[in-house]
């Protein structure tokens, strides 16, 4: 039984800092942008995340390019 991965969806997830807690630890949030092109180059996705958040006052901590495949038996 052979299994093939079929591209299903992709999303850009950006983790950013919104401030500091009373103890000085960073307070973080994340924003997910769905419906990203599955075949988009990783560098373009990374650059887009930094361009978008360059318009805000919140620094970017992490950028994730989450891809999902549907696994199915080959016919």
């Amino acid at each position: 039984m052979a299994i093939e991965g079929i591209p299903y969806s992709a999303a850009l997830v950006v983790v950013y800092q919104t401030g500091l807690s009373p103890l000085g630890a960073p307070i973080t949030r994340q924003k997910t942008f769905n419906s990203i092109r599955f075949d988009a180059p990783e560098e373009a996705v990374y650059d887009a995340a930094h361009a978008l958040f360059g318009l805000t006052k919140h620094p970017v901590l992490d950028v994730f390019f989450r891809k999902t495949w549907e696994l199915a038996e080959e016919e």
Side-chain angles (χ1 to χ4, degrees), residues 46-70:
Y46 181 85
D47 290 344
H50 282 278
L52 285 170
F53 278 80
L55 301 172
T56 72
K57 62 182 180 179
H58 304 299
V60 173
L61 302 177
D62 291 307
V63 177
F64 298 97
F65 189 17
R66 186 175 61 212
K67 293 184 177 184
T68 305
W69 285 269
E70 177 184 1

Side-chain angles (χ1 to χ4, degrees), residues 20-68:
L20 295 173
S21 73
L23 298 176
I27 299 170
T28 63
R29 299 284 184 265
Q30 74 178 30
K31 176 69 179 166
T32 302
F33 298 92
N34 294 310
S35 301
I36 302 296
R37 288 180 53 139
F38 198 87
D39 61 345
E42 287 83 5
E43 185 176 351
V45 174
Y46 181 85
D47 290 344
H50 282 278
L52 285 170
F53 278 80
L55 301 172
T56 72
K57 62 182 180 179
H58 304 299
V60 173
L61 302 177
D62 291 307
V63 177
F64 298 97
F65 189 17
R66 186 175 61 212
K67 293 184 177 184
T68 305

